Coordinates of all heavy atoms in Angstrom, one line a residue:
G85 N -1.1 -14.1 6.3 CA -2.0 -13.6 7.3 C -1.4 -13.2 8.6 O -1.7 -12.2 9.2
L86 N -0.4 -14.0 9.0 CA 0.3 -13.7 10.3 C 1.1 -12.4 10.1 O 1.1 -11.6 11.0 CB 1.3 -14.8 10.6 CG 2.3 -14.6 11.8 CD1 1.6 -14.2 13.1 CD2 3.2 -15.8 12.0
L87 N 1.7 -12.2 8.9 CA 2.5 -11.0 8.7 C 1.6 -9.7 8.8 O 1.9 -8.7 9.3 CB 3.2 -11.0 7.3 CG 4.0 -9.8 6.9 CD1 5.1 -9.5 7.9 CD2 4.6 -10.1 5.5
V88 N 0.4 -9.8 8.1 CA -0.6 -8.7 8.2 C -1.0 -8.4 9.6 O -0.9 -7.2 10.0 CB -1.8 -9.0 7.3 CG1 -2.9 -8.0 7.6 CG2 -1.5 -9.1 5.8
E89 N -1.3 -9.4 10.4 CA -1.7 -9.2 11.8 C -0.5 -8.6 12.6 O -0.7 -7.7 13.5 CB -2.2 -10.5 12.4 CG -2.8 -10.2 13.8 CD -3.6 -11.4 14.3 OE1 -3.7 -12.4 13.6 OE2 -4.0 -11.4 15.5
F90 N 0.7 -9.2 12.4 CA 1.9 -8.7 13.1 C 2.1 -7.2 12.8 O 2.4 -6.4 13.8 CB 3.1 -9.6 12.7 CG 4.4 -9.0 13.1 CD1 4.9 -9.1 14.4 CD2 5.3 -8.4 12.2 CE1 6.1 -8.6 14.8 CE2 6.5 -7.9 12.5 CZ 6.9 -8.0 13.9
R91 N 2.1 -6.9 11.6 CA 2.3 -5.5 11.2 C 1.2 -4.5 11.8 O 1.5 -3.4 12.2 CB 2.4 -5.3 9.7 CG 3.7 -5.9 9.2 CD 3.8 -5.9 7.7 NE 5.1 -6.1 7.1 CZ 5.4 -6.4 5.9 NH1 4.4 -6.5 5.0 NH2 6.6 -6.6 5.5
S92 N 0.0 -5.0 11.8 CA -1.1 -4.2 12.3 C -1.0 -4.0 13.8 O -1.2 -2.9 14.3 CB -2.5 -4.9 12.0 OG -2.7 -5.0 10.6
R93 N -0.5 -5.0 14.5 CA -0.3 -4.8 15.9 C 0.9 -3.9 16.2 O 0.9 -3.3 17.3 CB -0.1 -6.2 16.6 CG -1.3 -7.1 16.6 CD -1.1 -8.3 17.5 NE -2.2 -9.2 17.5 CZ -2.4 -10.1 18.4 NH1 -1.6 -10.3 19.4 NH2 -3.5 -10.9 18.4
R94 N 1.8 -3.9 15.3 CA 3.0 -3.1 15.6 C 2.8 -1.6 15.4 O 3.5 -0.9 16.1 CB 4.1 -3.6 14.6 CG 5.5 -3.0 14.8 CD 6.5 -3.5 13.9 NE 7.8 -2.9 14.2 CZ 8.9 -3.1 13.5 NH1 8.9 -3.9 12.5 NH2 10.0 -2.5 13.9
S95 N 2.0 -1.2 14.5 CA 1.8 0.2 14.2 C 0.4 0.6 13.9 O -0.3 -0.1 13.1 CB 2.7 0.5 13.0 OG 2.3 1.7 12.4
P96 N -0.1 1.7 14.5 CA -1.4 2.2 14.2 C -1.6 2.5 12.7 O -2.7 2.3 12.1 CB -1.6 3.4 15.0 CG -0.7 3.2 16.2 CD 0.5 2.5 15.6
W97 N -0.5 3.0 12.0 CA -0.6 3.3 10.6 C -0.8 2.0 9.8 O -1.6 2.0 8.9 CB 0.7 4.0 10.2 CG 0.6 4.7 8.8 CD1 0.2 6.0 8.6 CD2 0.9 4.1 7.6 NE1 0.3 6.2 7.2 CE2 0.7 5.1 6.6 CE3 1.4 2.8 7.2 CZ2 1.0 4.9 5.2 CZ3 1.6 2.6 5.8 CH2 1.4 3.6 4.8
N98 N 0.0 1.0 10.2 CA -0.2 -0.3 9.5 C -1.6 -0.8 9.6 O -2.2 -1.4 8.7 CB 0.8 -1.3 10.0 CG 2.3 -1.0 9.7 OD1 2.5 -0.1 8.8 ND2 3.2 -1.6 10.3
A99 N -2.1 -0.7 10.9 CA -3.5 -1.2 11.1 C -4.5 -0.5 10.3 O -5.4 -1.1 9.8 CB -3.8 -1.1 12.6
A100 N -4.3 0.8 10.2 CA -5.3 1.6 9.4 C -5.2 1.2 7.9 O -6.3 1.1 7.3 CB -5.0 3.1 9.5
V101 N -4.0 1.0 7.4 CA -3.9 0.5 6.0 C -4.7 -0.8 5.8 O -5.4 -1.0 4.8 CB -2.4 0.3 5.6 CG1 -2.3 -0.4 4.3 CG2 -1.7 1.7 5.5
S102 N -4.5 -1.7 6.7 CA -5.1 -3.0 6.6 C -6.6 -2.9 6.7 O -7.4 -3.5 5.9 CB -4.6 -4.0 7.6 OG -3.2 -4.2 7.4
R103 N -7.1 -2.1 7.6 CA -8.6 -2.0 7.8 C -9.2 -1.4 6.6 O -10.3 -1.8 6.1 CB -8.9 -1.1 9.1 CG -8.7 -1.8 10.4 CD -9.3 -0.9 11.5 NE -8.8 0.4 11.5 CZ -7.8 0.8 12.3 NH1 -7.2 -0.1 13.1 NH2 -7.4 2.0 12.3
L104 N -8.6 -0.3 6.1 CA -9.2 0.5 5.0 C -9.1 -0.1 3.6 O -10.1 -0.2 2.9 CB -8.6 1.9 5.0 CG -9.2 2.9 4.0 CD1 -10.7 3.2 4.3 CD2 -8.4 4.2 4.0
L105 N -7.9 -0.7 3.3 CA -7.6 -1.0 1.9 C -7.2 -2.4 1.6 O -7.0 -2.8 0.4 CB -6.5 0.0 1.4 CG -6.9 1.5 1.5 CD1 -5.7 2.3 1.1 CD2 -8.1 1.8 0.6
D106 N -7.1 -3.3 2.6 CA -6.6 -4.6 2.3 C -7.6 -5.5 1.6 O -7.2 -6.6 1.1 CB -6.1 -5.3 3.6 CG -5.1 -6.4 3.3 OD1 -4.4 -6.3 2.3 OD2 -5.1 -7.3 4.1
D107 N -8.9 -5.2 1.6 CA -9.9 -6.0 1.0 C -10.2 -5.7 -0.4 O -11.0 -6.3 -1.1 CB -11.2 -5.9 1.8 CG -11.1 -6.7 3.2 OD1 -10.3 -7.5 3.3 OD2 -11.8 -6.3 4.1
T108 N -9.6 -4.6 -1.0 CA -9.8 -4.2 -2.3 C -8.5 -4.3 -3.1 O -7.4 -4.5 -2.5 CB -10.4 -2.8 -2.4 OG1 -9.6 -1.9 -1.7 CG2 -11.8 -2.8 -1.9
Y109 N -8.6 -4.2 -4.4 CA -7.4 -4.2 -5.3 C -6.7 -2.9 -5.2 O -7.0 -2.0 -6.0 CB -7.8 -4.6 -6.7 CG -6.6 -4.9 -7.7 CD1 -5.3 -4.9 -7.2 CD2 -6.9 -5.2 -9.0 CE1 -4.2 -5.2 -8.1 CE2 -5.8 -5.5 -9.8 CZ -4.5 -5.5 -9.4 OH -3.5 -5.9 -10.3
T110 N -5.7 -2.8 -4.3 CA -5.0 -1.5 -4.1 C -3.5 -1.7 -4.0 O -3.1 -2.8 -3.7 CB -5.5 -0.8 -2.8 OG1 -5.4 -1.7 -1.7 CG2 -6.9 -0.3 -2.9
F111 N -2.8 -0.6 -4.3 CA -1.4 -0.6 -4.1 C -1.1 0.6 -3.2 O -1.6 1.7 -3.4 CB -0.7 -0.4 -5.4 CG 0.8 -0.1 -5.4 CD1 1.7 -1.2 -5.5 CD2 1.3 1.1 -5.3 CE1 3.1 -1.0 -5.5 CE2 2.7 1.4 -5.2 CZ 3.6 0.3 -5.3
V112 N -0.3 0.3 -2.1 CA 0.1 1.3 -1.2 C 1.5 1.2 -0.9 O 2.0 0.1 -0.4 CB -0.7 1.3 0.2 CG1 -0.2 2.3 1.2 CG2 -2.2 1.4 -0.1
A113 N 2.3 2.2 -1.1 CA 3.7 2.2 -0.8 C 4.3 3.6 -0.6 O 3.8 4.5 -1.3 CB 4.5 1.5 -2.0
T114 N 5.3 3.7 0.2 CA 6.0 5.0 0.4 C 7.5 4.8 0.2 O 8.1 3.8 0.5 CB 5.8 5.5 1.8 OG1 4.4 5.7 2.0 CG2 6.5 6.8 2.1
G115 N 8.1 5.8 -0.5 CA 9.5 5.8 -0.7 C 10.1 7.1 -0.3 O 9.5 8.0 0.1
P116 N 11.5 7.1 -0.3 CA 12.2 8.3 0.2 C 12.1 9.4 -0.9 O 11.9 9.2 -2.1 CB 13.6 7.8 0.3 CG 13.7 6.7 -0.6 CD 12.4 6.0 -0.6
R117 N 12.1 10.6 -0.5 CA 12.2 11.8 -1.4 C 13.7 12.1 -1.6 O 14.4 12.5 -0.7 CB 11.5 13.0 -0.7 CG 11.6 14.3 -1.5 CD 10.6 14.3 -2.7 NE 10.8 15.5 -3.5 CZ 10.3 16.7 -3.2 NH1 9.6 16.9 -2.1 NH2 10.5 17.7 -4.0
R118 N 14.1 11.8 -2.8 CA 15.6 12.0 -3.2 C 15.8 13.0 -4.3 O 16.9 13.4 -4.5 CB 16.1 10.6 -3.6 CG 16.2 9.6 -2.5 CD 16.6 8.3 -3.0 NE 16.8 7.3 -1.9 CZ 16.9 6.0 -2.1 NH1 16.9 5.5 -3.3 NH2 17.1 5.2 -1.1
H119 N 14.8 13.5 -4.9 CA 14.9 14.4 -6.0 C 14.1 15.7 -5.8 O 13.1 15.7 -5.2 CB 14.5 13.7 -7.3 CG 15.2 12.5 -7.6 ND1 14.8 11.3 -7.1 CD2 16.2 12.3 -8.5 CE1 15.6 10.3 -7.6 NE2 16.5 10.9 -8.4
E120 N 14.7 16.8 -6.3 CA 13.9 18.0 -6.3 C 12.6 17.8 -7.1 O 11.6 18.3 -6.7 CB 14.8 19.1 -7.0 CG 14.0 20.4 -7.2 CD 14.5 21.5 -6.3 OE1 15.5 21.4 -5.7 OE2 13.7 22.4 -6.3
D121 N 12.7 17.1 -8.2 CA 11.5 16.8 -9.0 C 11.0 15.5 -8.5 O 11.5 14.4 -8.7 CB 11.9 16.6 -10.5 CG 10.7 16.3 -11.4 OD1 9.6 16.1 -10.8 OD2 10.9 16.2 -12.6
W122 N 9.9 15.6 -7.7 CA 9.4 14.4 -7.0 C 8.8 13.3 -8.0 O 8.6 12.2 -7.5 CB 8.3 14.8 -6.0 CG 7.2 15.7 -6.5 CD1 7.2 17.1 -6.4 CD2 6.1 15.3 -7.3 NE1 6.1 17.5 -7.0 CE2 5.4 16.5 -7.5 CE3 5.6 14.1 -7.7 CZ2 4.2 16.5 -8.3 CZ3 4.4 14.1 -8.4 CH2 3.7 15.3 -8.7
A123 N 8.6 13.7 -9.2 CA 8.1 12.7 -10.2 C 9.1 11.5 -10.3 O 8.6 10.4 -10.5 CB 7.9 13.4 -11.5
H124 N 10.3 11.8 -10.1 CA 11.3 10.7 -10.2 C 11.2 9.8 -9.0 O 11.4 8.5 -9.1 CB 12.8 11.2 -10.2 CG 13.1 12.0 -11.4 ND1 13.5 11.3 -12.6 CD2 13.0 13.3 -11.8 CE1 13.8 12.2 -13.6 NE2 13.5 13.4 -13.1

Side-chain angles (χ1 to χ4, degrees):
L86 173 58
L87 180 58
V88 169
E89 188 172 353
F90 168 74
R91 286 173 169 169
S92 294
R93 292 189 180 200
R94 185 176 181 184
S95 161
W97 194 91
N98 292 348
V101 168
S102 296
R103 283 194 304 266
L104 183 64
L105 299 176
D106 200 30
D107 288 336
T108 54
Y109 189 1
T110 54
F111 174 91
V112 176
T114 296
R117 176 81 185 276
R118 292 174 174 166
H119 301 84
E120 172 111 13
D121 180 357
W122 50 263
H124 291 277

